[in-house]
């Protein structure tokens, strides 16, 4: 099934008010890139201002994480309701930095995704193996286990996006071979169809993430069942991010 690709940028803990100029440049460039959807996920502090600055353009804005609850005594956390209120349409959940640095389990990621869906946000659910797991030949088993345990009730092509991000490829400049990416995406597609049925599983977009840059985007994005990219470092510069989107 041909799905409209999504190119999503994750700014992580980068960006201040001045960075909104980069977002605006991406938003303006997005107008010419009608065959892809573009999304930027800045730090929570910038979501409202970025949404206002990019209003009326095709650039969507997302959060990088959300709490499982709508509101309450959770110092430092941000809820899906707050992200939606600030102008977000998407939220990343289960990024490997959250899983590793904050001990987030797939069960928690599933709860976060359900909180996102309850607020009308699209949940971008990240999964991926460590280098040790890859070297042990466990990549497919690991990502399928993460997928099964992280997928929320109500998952379909409108409500969720899956981002396959090998942990060892994030921010390292290393990428799996095209054959390896294609093998994992084929396995994930088959599992989505098995879990959700073809009507709901086939339209779920499967992104690849991990050191995507302008020079490797075209090859990665041309692979079967790769329906876009989750981009970290290269999303901070509008020229690089737009070049990745243009390579699709
Ligand atoms: C990410 O953080 O999701 C990511 C893919 O980072 P990078 O593109 O920098 O590897």
């Amino acid at each position: 099934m041909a799905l409209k690709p999504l190119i999503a940028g994750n700014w992580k803990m980068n960006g201040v008010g001045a960075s909104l100029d980069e977002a605006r440049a991406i938003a303006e460039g997005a107008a010419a890139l009608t065959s892809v959807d573009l999304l930027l996920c800045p730090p929570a502090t910038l979501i409202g201002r970025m949404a206002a600055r990019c209003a009326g353009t095709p650039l969507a804005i997302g959060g990088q994480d959300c709490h499982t609850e709508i509101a309450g005594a959770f110092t430092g956390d941000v809820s899906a309701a707050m992200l939606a209120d600030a102008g977000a349409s998407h939220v990343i959940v289960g990024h490997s930095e959250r899983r590793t640095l904050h001990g987030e389990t797939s069960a928690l990621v599933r709860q976060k995704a359900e909180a996102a869906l309850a607020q009308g946000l699209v949940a971008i659910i990240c999964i991926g193996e460590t280098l040790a797991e890859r070297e042990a030949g466990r990549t497919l088993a690991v990502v399928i286990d993460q997928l099964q345990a992280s997928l929320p009730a109500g998952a379909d092509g409108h409500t969720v996006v899956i981002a396959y991000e090998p942990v060892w490829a994030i921010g390292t400049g290393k990428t799996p071979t095209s054959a390896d990416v294609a093998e994992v995406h084929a396995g994930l597609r088959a599992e989505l169809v098995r879990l959700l049925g073809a009507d709901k599983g086939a339209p779920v977009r499967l992104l690849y993430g991990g050191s995507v840059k302008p020079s490797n985007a075209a090859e990665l994005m041309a692979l079967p069942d790769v329906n876009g990219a989750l981009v970290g470092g290269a999303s901070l510069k509008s020229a690089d991010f737009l070049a990745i989107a243009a390579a699709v």
Side-chain angles (χ1 to χ4, degrees):
M1 177 183 271
L3 303 177
K4 188 174 185 188
L6 170 66
I7 305 298
N10 172 14
W11 278 12
K12 311 192 185 194
M13 199 173 72
N14 296 294
V16 291
S19 319
L20 294 171
D21 288 346
E22 287 299 307
R24 180 69 207 183
I26 290 169
E28 285 168 3
L33 297 167
T34 51
S35 56
V36 292
D37 289 331
L38 288 187
L39 167 72
L40 270 188
C41 300
T45 51
L46 288 182
I47 290 175
R49 279 182 285 168
M50 193 181 282
R53 189 85 193 272
C54 300
T57 76
L59 180 68
I61 311 297
Q64 299 176 9
D65 180 45
C66 67
H67 197 273
T68 57
E69 299 293 328
I70 285 188
F74 304 104
T75 301
D77 279 314
V78 176
S79 76
M82 291 167 178
L83 295 175
D85 179 60
S89 53
H90 295 63
V91 60
I92 297 168
V93 291
H95 189 280
S96 75
E97 286 150 18
R98 302 290 315 174
R99 291 179 186 260
T100 306
L101 303 174
H102 298 266
E104 294 193 3
T105 63
S106 290
L108 180 68
V109 172
R110 177 191 170 112
Q111 286 182 285
K112 290 185 172 200
E114 283 173 350
L117 268 52
Q119 299 304 319
L121 298 179
V122 176
I124 301 179
I125 301 166
C126 299
I127 56 178
E129 83 285 1
T130 63
L131 188 57
E133 289 164 340
R134 173 161 285 272
E135 286 174 350
R138 297 186 52 234
T139 298
L140 263 184
V142 166
V143 297
I144 285 178
D145 182 60
Q146 289 175 333
L147 178 68
Q148 290 170 347
S150 305
L151 212 55
D156 65 25
H158 302 291
T159 57
V160 302
V161 172
I162 306 298
Y164 166 56
E165 300 205 297
V167 176
W168 52 274
I170 295 177
T172 60
K174 297 179 190 161
T175 51
T177 65
S178 291
D180 287 340
V181 174
E183 183 190 9
V184 172
H185 280 238
L188 292 172
R189 175 66 65 208
E191 185 61 14
L192 280 168
V193 168
R194 193 187 72 78
L195 290 168
L196 304 177
D199 56 329
K200 291 183 179 167
V204 172
R205 289 190 279 196
L206 282 171
L207 312 186
Y208 167 77
S211 298
V212 177
K213 45 195 178 218
S215 58
N216 63 14
E219 181 176 346
L220 288 163
M221 296 303 110
L223 296 171
D225 275 315
V226 174
N227 315 117
L230 181 53
V231 183
S235 70
L236 291 164
K237 290 210 170 88
S238 56
D240 286 351
F241 192 63
L242 289 169
I244 289 168
V248 177

